[in-house]
Amino acid sequence: MRERILYSFPVQLFLLHLKKNLALLLVWVVLLGIILEQFGVVLGIPFLFLDPEYLHEVSWLSFFMMGVGLAVLTMAFHMTTYIMNGRQFQFLAIVPRPFIHFCVNNSIIPLLFYLIYIVKFLVFQLNNDLPSNWEVLKFYLGFSLGGILSYSLIFGYFALTNKDFFVLFAGTLDKRLRKVRLTRANVLSRYKEMRGRKDGVMTYLNLKLKLEDVRPDISRFETRKLLRVFDQNHLNLFLIQIFLILFVLFLGLFKEKEILQLPAAVSALLLLAILVMLVGALSFWLRSWATLVVVSMLFLANYFSNFSFLNRPHEAYGLNYQLEPVSYTLAKLDSLTHPDTLAKDRNNTLQILDNWKSKFPNDSLPKLVIVAASGGGQRAALWTLHVLQSIHKETGGEATKHTELYTGASGGVLGEAFFREIYLRSFSDKSFNPSDPAFLNQISADNLNPIIFTLLVNDLLIRNQRFEYSGYSHLKDRGFAFENQLNINTHRILDKPLIEYKKPEFEAQIPLLPVTSLVTNDGRKLIISPHSMSYMGSSMFGKTGLQEKKQSIDFLRFFHAHDAGNLRFLSALRMSATFPFITPNVQLPSIPVMETMDTGLSDNFGIQDALRFLYVFQDWVSKNTSGVVVISIRDSEKNMEIPTTELPRIFEKVFNPLKNIYTNWDNVQTIQNEVLFNYMAESMPFPLERIEFEYAPELMQNEELSGSQKTMRRASLNWRLTAREKKSILESIKSEKNQKSLNRVKKIFEKKG
């Protein structure tokens, strides 16, 4: 019995995969690492699989689609391994429905994954604060239904097409296959190689899942008939692969229809399925030449990708890309920071500050408030908006009235921009209450599904769909998907050109908000504002002379000829929050091409820009205010306990240096900001106070778990938040430190009498 199991078809297939198909096994290993939360936790990748969202909710339908996606990937794995390895097991030639038998015996790896995945998502959902545990049962049934339906359709297709597998073959199809000389030659040579070999299989699982002895004699079968078996298998794989690709192309035509936007995890599974089937097709057609041909194709693709018809820029919407690009040189930067230009921009901002001062009694010296919000994807956007709403509510709007500058990066700027627009609209429309919690739901709605879906159906292929914005035509890409979904989530109130903020900013109705983006060419900041701020990148006092390196570029002046004021404000926000691989770097119309990405790499907390502004206008601030309050909204804890370490293993010694750079980047910036702030606090001719709000769920005990040692889990760095993550963000305002900060703000701006 022991030998019957050891030399059974399932065990031998499993051992064969370990020996020859490690690349295919790696797909399952990576997916397993993801769902076990050993990979991508910081970015929230596991939650895309454990808590899939469709049409802005986690439901039985979203799990139904997960069932479909996993079934497609599993069948891709079966088909590819059958094409690659099925010829080694000669007994399949006399088994009815050989491919279905192969799938049954090849299911050890997928079955293990299914079992672990089901247990993980059930446990995750049981701890996900659902209204009822019956919801979890609905999720499981939806997942099961999706898988059963998909397997039924695929196996039904193979049962029909492979019905008389050895004897019958459609005449016209047979003639067509005979013309494919490469296929026949490859299969025939493989058949000759394996004739004298034993496959080492004694038993196999039949369709009733019972062990059945193998009949090893296949001498009565002709080579020609066996050849047709392989021909037909390859054709079936090819047809299903073509169907999948055509299906993806079809979805791409309607990618903006939310009902067709698959959950992000399902899009990833479909992409993996296509890649796995390509491996099988290439291996079958090219045999030993496969590696050389694939490497050659990669080099050719890399070479031709530089051609204009394949390498189309990812644009900032609203700019005129038809004009001749502006020269991006040091001489150009110097011309934009001429002393007269610096003085002009400074005087314009001084007028804005005077307008801000006029909101208060003439004989008063009001506090000037600057808000600096850190980046961190959607968690930072939600946290920033929540803090600003809490401050506005607790101070009766006084703190917001005193605020004249917002700075920050990525999600923090997105939260500031959304609150600022709500505040602006509240002046003319009383239905806009800046403290309304409904806006929290809008800013935290899923924004990842359309991005990943667009990557699958559009960006991996040739982008060709266009749209019009303010008279200019632009190609659609993941950036468009991000802006479009953000626009929908926020009820389209941010969809306006940059220049529309010029008047309300000038009249000090709302704070200034210079949106910054990092220029990857040279590390400078691109400052996007309806008011030119050249003074943010060059010394106003000329003490450093020509030796000074310009720190930033004024977007409005640099791209003035390209209709810079017409830039879509949503594009500006995207440029500040461009996360690598998720949203593409924006290319601007300059020579050399200026590329921008998330400014968090340079100043993730907005402190540097805030202090630079105070330095430039220190005289005015000293004469017209009673001091400055810098409200710092961090999406991380500033003073974290030093973690314990163990002696590193070999792999850790290799990867830890890069890991340490990534994990300590926030710490490095925090320390630099501490130094800058201390210098400013000691040298400025006015009082400077900092009030900090921190999203630190590790320190915040969940009230429902009172007395427990379990802490709230930190939200991931992503553009999609789970229900638990949203709760941890909103509950963090109740922490002792944040309540002290809130009370301090309330005390400063509490209305008298």
Side-chain angles (χ1 to χ4, degrees):
M1 185 64 185
R2 180 170 172 269
E3 285 190 351
R4 283 170 56 83
I5 295 177
L6 180 61
Y7 291 98
S8 65
F9 196 22
V11 173
Q12 290 302 307
L13 275 174
F14 179 76
L15 295 176
L16 180 67
H17 293 327
L18 293 177
K19 181 180 179 181
K20 295 183 62 177
N21 300 327
L22 287 179
L24 295 178
L25 287 185
L26 185 62
V27 173
W28 295 105
V29 171
V30 171
L31 287 175
L32 193 62
I34 288 173
I35 65 168
L36 291 175
E37 300 181 48
Q38 300 298 312
F39 175 77
V41 177
V42 173
L43 300 178
I45 297 176
F47 310 133
L48 303 180
F49 291 81
L50 302 175
D51 198 42
E53 191 168 315
Y54 176 64
L55 296 178
H56 299 289
E57 66 174 348
V58 179
S59 64
W60 73 269
L61 194 54
S62 62
F63 275 98
F64 173 87
M65 292 186 173
M66 279 298 300
V68 173
L70 275 177
V72 172
L73 176 62
T74 302
M75 291 308 301
F77 173 73
H78 286 323
M79 287 187 287
T80 296
T81 52
Y82 182 64
I83 290 297
M84 293 173 63
N85 308 124
R87 64 186 180 274
Q88 296 183 217
F89 301 96
Q90 303 173 27
F91 74 92
L92 285 175
I94 57 175
V95 174
R97 296 189 177 90
F99 176 71
I100 298 178
H101 275 89
F102 181 88
C103 293
V104 170
N105 287 270
N106 193 42
S107 295
I108 290 181
I109 295 170
L111 183 60
L112 286 174
F113 179 84
Y114 264 84
L115 292 174
I116 296 172
Y117 173 71
I118 290 171
V119 171
K120 280 293 295 183
F121 92 68
L122 289 177
V123 171
F124 183 91
Q125 294 298 334
L126 286 170
N127 295 317
N128 207 21
D129 298 327
L130 295 174
S132 167
N133 287 342
W134 289 107
E135 291 292 315
V136 182
L137 178 60
K138 288 168 61 177
F139 296 164
Y140 172 74
L141 293 177
F143 175 77
S144 301
L145 180 62
I148 292 171
L149 182 61
S150 301
Y151 286 123
S152 299
L153 291 174
I154 297 174
F155 280 128
Y157 166 78
F158 277 105
L160 291 174
T161 56
N162 294 350
K163 185 162 67 171
D164 295 317
F165 202 72
F166 308 107
V167 182
L168 299 179
F169 213 79
T172 55
L173 183 60
D174 186 49
K175 293 177 182 178
R176 194 177 309 159
L177 289 172
R178 288 174 183 273
K179 296 178 182 179
V180 187
R181 296 182 178 178
L182 178 60
T183 305
R184 295 177 59 83
N186 284 343
V187 176
L188 185 57
S189 64
R190 294 179 183 189
Y191 173 71
K192 290 179 178 178
E193 291 173 2
M194 73 180 187
R195 284 190 63 180
R197 291 168 48 187
K198 295 182 179 180
D199 48 40
V201 175
M202 296 175 60
T203 59
Y204 68 95
L205 285 175
N206 60 25
L207 299 185
K208 296 181 180 180
L209 301 183
K210 294 182 179 179
L211 278 179
E212 189 171 328
D213 290 334
V214 167
R215 293 172 55 193
D217 182 19
I218 65 168
S219 59
R220 62 190 178 91
F221 292 97
E222 300 176 7
T223 302
R224 178 176 56 83
K225 292 180 179 179
L226 186 60
L227 177 60
R228 291 180 183 177
V229 170
F230 284 99
D231 279 340
Q232 189 187 48
N233 287 332
H234 181 264
L235 180 65
N236 288 337
L237 171 63
F238 177 75
L239 290 177
I240 289 185
Q241 186 173 347
I242 290 298
F243 171 78
L244 255 186
I245 295 174
L246 290 176
F247 178 68
V248 166
L249 290 173
F250 169 77
L251 292 178
L253 297 176
F254 308 97
K255 58 179 175 291
E256 287 146 46
K257 301 290 184 182
E258 279 196 313
I259 196 171
L260 293 179
Q261 291 176 355
L262 306 177
V266 177
S267 297
L269 291 174
L270 287 180
L271 176 60
L272 286 175
I274 292 174
L275 293 176
V276 166
M277 286 194 290
L278 281 174
V279 169
L282 289 174
S283 175
F284 180 82
W285 281 90
L286 303 174
R287 287 195 66 199
S288 58
W289 291 93
T291 302
L292 177 61
V293 171
V294 169
V295 171
S296 301
M297 289 174 62
L298 289 175
F299 276 103
L300 288 173
N302 179 66
Y303 176 77
F304 286 109
S305 66
N306 198 37
F307 286 49
S308 58
F309 71 96
L310 291 176
N311 190 8
R312 300 181 180 183
H314 297 279
E315 298 175 345
Y317 307 137
L319 285 185
N320 186 353
Y321 281 79
Q322 302 304 313
L323 293 180
E324 183 178 350
V326 63
S327 177
Y328 182 27
T329 62
L330 292 178
K332 177 66 175 179
L333 296 182
D334 289 338
S335 70
L336 297 178
T337 53
H338 188 276
D340 292 342
T341 303
L342 297 174
K344 180 180 179 181
D345 291 350
R346 183 174 183 272
N347 290 335
N348 180 67
T349 305
L350 285 172
Q351 183 60 56
I352 294 174
L353 290 172
D354 287 336
N355 293 339
W356 171 84
K357 176 69 163 52
S358 67
K359 296 191 296 185
F360 307 98
N362 292 333
D363 58 346
S364 68
L365 291 175
K367 287 283 188 182
L368 175 68
V369 176
I370 295 177
V371 177
S374 74
Q378 199 167 41
R379 76 181 180 209
L382 178 59
W383 174 236
T384 298
L385 178 61
H386 188 39
V387 171
L388 291 175
Q389 284 191 325
S390 300
I391 291 173
H392 183 85
K393 183 178 180 180
E394 290 297 321
T395 64
E398 281 298 302
T400 309
K401 181 180 177 182
H402 283 72
T403 303
E404 181 46 24
L405 179 67
Y406 285 148
T407 64
S410 188
V413 168
L414 199 157
E416 291 173 329
F418 190 42
F419 179 81
R420 187 179 75 151
E421 180 63 33
I422 297 166
Y423 181 64
L424 174 62
R425 297 201 177 212
S426 69
F427 296 139
S428 57
D429 187 347
K430 297 305 179 184
S431 66
F432 279 85
N433 176 8
S435 299
D436 190 343
F439 296 119
L440 297 172
N441 294 328
Q442 293 179 22
I443 199 68
S444 61
D446 173 60
N447 202 19
L448 187 65
N449 279 357
I451 297 175
I452 304 301
F453 183 71
T454 303
L455 174 65
L456 171 68
V457 303
N458 185 79
D459 288 15
L460 290 178
L461 304 170
I462 298 177
R463 294 180 289 125
N464 54 14
Q465 293 186 3
R466 307 186 75 90
F467 79 108
E468 296 284 333
Y469 181 80
S470 292
Y472 300 117
S473 176
H474 301 280
L475 282 169
K476 294 181 179 180
D477 57 11
R478 303 191 304 284
F480 172 81
F482 174 85
E483 292 183 26
N484 187 55
Q485 191 60 51
L486 176 61
N487 198 24
I488 293 171
N489 292 347
T490 56
H491 294 193
R492 305 185 185 279
I493 67 173
L494 292 171
D495 193 6
K496 56 175 64 175
L498 177 69
I499 201 66
E500 281 199 22
Y501 284 111
K502 184 172 185 178
K503 182 179 179 182
E505 283 189 7
F506 184 80
E507 295 176 350
Q509 288 182 287
I510 56 175
L512 296 168
L513 176 56
V515 180
T516 58
S517 188
L518 182 69
V519 179
T520 61
N521 306 58
D522 52 21
R524 290 180 170 88
K525 281 183 183 178
L526 184 67
I527 298 183
I528 306 171
S529 169
H531 298 276
S532 289
M533 295 183 169
S534 57
Y535 51 77
M536 295 293 284
S538 184
S539 174
M540 281 295 302
F541 309 107
K543 295 181 179 179
T544 56
L546 297 176
Q547 296 179 353
E548 180 186 26
K549 180 173 181 176
K550 306 301 183 292
Q551 297 111 48
S552 64
I553 303 167
D554 182 71
F555 172 83
L556 200 63
R557 275 207 171 85
F558 194 91
F559 293 104
H560 175 74
H562 295 78
D563 206 359
N566 192 53
L567 175 74
R568 192 186 194 190
F569 187 64
L570 287 167
S571 290
L573 295 176
R574 169 167 63 98
M575 291 165 68
S576 178
T578 297
F579 194 83
F581 306 113
I582 303 299
T583 47
N585 288 4
V586 171
Q587 286 94 37
L588 296 171
S590 65
I591 298 178
V593 175
M594 184 186 296
E595 285 200 16
T596 67
M597 66 172 292
D598 196 316
T599 192
L601 187 63
S602 172
D603 179 17
N604 193 47
F605 301 97
I607 295 295
Q608 294 178 23
D609 288 337
L611 298 181
R612 175 79 185 190
F613 185 88
L614 290 177
Y615 175 75
V616 172
F617 297 102
Q618 55 183 290
D619 292 339
W620 186 95
V621 173
S622 177
K623 294 175 182 177
N624 293 277
T625 73
S626 58
V628 175
V629 176
V630 175
I631 297 177
S632 176
I633 305 175
R634 298 175 55 99
D635 91 319
S636 60
E637 184 183 353
K638 186 168 78 171
N639 292 307
M640 297 183 66
E641 189 60 57
I642 300 173
T644 57
T645 58
E646 299 178 355
L647 291 176
R649 298 181 177 88
I650 294 177
F651 284 175
E652 291 172 339
K653 288 180 179 180
V654 174
F655 294 109
N656 270 356
L658 292 176
K659 178 184 175 183
N660 291 337
I661 292 174
Y662 171 77
T663 56
N664 284 310
W665 193 247
D666 270 9
N667 293 328
V668 171
Q669 290 195 26
T670 296
I671 293 172
Q672 291 175 342
N673 290 339
E674 291 293 292
V675 173
L676 288 173
F677 187 86
N678 290 335
Y679 284 161
M680 289 287 291
E682 295 171 3
S683 61
M684 288 296 98
F686 52 80
L688 179 59
E689 180 178 359
R690 178 176 52 184
I691 301 175
E692 294 179 319
F693 292 85
E694 298 178 357
Y695 168 54
E698 296 85 357
L699 302 178
M700 177 66 190
Q701 292 291 333
N702 191 330
E703 293 179 359
E704 296 180 5
L705 299 174
S706 180
S708 169
Q709 296 300 312
K710 185 176 180 180
T711 57
M712 299 172 68
R713 187 168 192 164
R714 180 170 180 76
S716 54
L717 179 61
N718 208 324
W719 288 112
R720 188 256 171 170
L721 298 170
T722 66
R724 276 196 294 182
E725 290 175 327
K726 293 176 186 178
K727 183 177 181 179
S728 79
I729 293 170
L730 299 179
E731 290 289 318
S732 286
I733 197 68
K734 299 178 182 178
S735 71
E736 182 179 353
K737 176 177 177 57
N738 290 331
Q739 283 298 301
K740 286 182 178 179
S741 297
L742 196 57
N743 290 333
R744 176 57 185 157
V745 175
K746 185 177 179 181
K747 183 177 180 180
I748 295 174
F749 297 104
E750 191 173 17
K751 290 184 178 179
K752 302 294 189 287

